[in-house]
Amino acid sequence: MLRVGLALVATCAAAGPAHADSANVDGPLDSCTQDGFWTDASDNRQPVGGAGVTTAYVLSEQGNRIAILDPWLPGGDPTAPDDYSYEMSTPKHGRFEAVNLSSAGSTTLVINRFGDMYTRLWDFDMSGADDIFFRYSYDDQRGKPSAPNLSMDEIDTLFGPKAYAANQLPAPGWVRQPKIPGEITSAISIHQTGGDSSDRELRVEGRSGGRTGYWHKPADPDASWSFEATGAGLTADLLDNRPGDHSDETLAPRSGIDYGYADPAQ
């Protein structure tokens, strides 16, 4: 079964434990928090596009490919037949095999059968592919001022002296999250808790001291896990959540395709 995570820039935090539904939408859409800014790879706060972002992230059956369906992209309308040609790679250069994913506010959480988890802040606009509305650069943007709002950013991009920091490329990569010190299942969810891209909470269904509930923490990799007991029954089987990093034990074979390039003029 394909796993689908729906990530809106205006998604919401919802109370309760994580769940293992194939479609994960966080919270009622009538009480949403709209993201105003996101933090790029140079730690610059960038205004979110005025039209927002609506993306469905689809995990392949093997678990090492994530297709993105976006109504703004050709072939990406979730209501029409899709070609699944737009993708975000999984961790480990696209070889990490996940058993579930969840997305909210352009942030995606994946987990493998050993309980190894990664998060990534990424969507089509952040990837560097939407140069109609955004300005990108591989040059170091650290130390440059950020635009105070979207209007000023667009004026600067279209007509101005390019005084504000461009969106730093490459886009932010995958971030490994600490292992959970207890029993867990593959039922995961990510929740939007505020108006900035750093305002995310991770939740993982599990058990602690014989009590069922969910583990939770901010998406900051330095934050620690806490357990919230609910008494609800587990919705998925327990994972082999052994200590240590076992990401390399769940890798898909190499593709054999090399996208390396050497400039002949150099």
Side-chain angles (χ1 to χ4, degrees), residues 78-95:
T79 66
D82 305 299
D83 61 12
Y84 291 84
S85 60
Y86 294 93
E87 294 190 8
M88 173 178 69
S89 66
T90 58
K92 300 290 182 176
H93 305 288
R95 299 179 62 200

Side-chain angles (χ1 to χ4, degrees), residues 2 15 33 53-54 75 87 92 119 145 156 163 195 207 216-217 228 262:
L2 297 178
T33 298
V53 177
T54 303
E87 294 190 8
K92 300 290 182 176
T119 54
D156 184 62
R207 195 162 57 193
H216 61 95
K217 67 181 285 296
E228 181 74 20

Side-chain angles (χ1 to χ4, degrees), residues 180 201-204 214-218 224-228:
I180 291 177
E201 182 177 86
L202 314 180
R203 299 182 187 178
V204 182
Y214 63 96
W215 298 86
H216 61 95
K217 67 181 285 296
S224 299
W225 292 97
S226 299
F227 185 76
E228 181 74 20

Side-chain angles (χ1 to χ4, degrees), residues 121-192:
L121 175 66
W122 189 97
D123 61 31
F124 187 80
D125 290 346
M126 297 174 186
S127 73
D130 189 1
D131 56 4
I132 295 178
F133 296 105
F134 301 96
R135 186 164 57 91
Y136 306 94
S137 179
Y138 282 98
D139 294 332
D140 191 350
Q141 299 296 298
R142 288 176 295 182
K144 296 184 179 181
S146 299
N149 53 58
L150 179 61
S151 297
M152 293 296 294
D153 183 57
E154 291 178 340
I155 292 172
D156 184 62
T157 297
L158 296 174
F159 311 108
K162 309 298 187 292
Y164 299 123
N167 293 351
Q168 182 69 67
L169 294 179
W174 288 100
V175 176
R176 183 173 179 268
Q177 296 291 336
K179 294 295 284 278
I180 291 177
E183 296 177 295
I184 61 171
T185 76
S186 62
I188 60 175
S189 59
I190 183 167
H191 298 253
Q192 193 171 352

Side-chain angles (χ1 to χ4, degrees), residues 32-49:
C32 299
T33 298
Q34 171 71 45
D35 262 6
F37 293 88
W38 65 280
T39 303
D40 68 13
S42 284
D43 290 330
N44 290 321
R45 297 179 77 239
Q46 301 287 0
V48 170

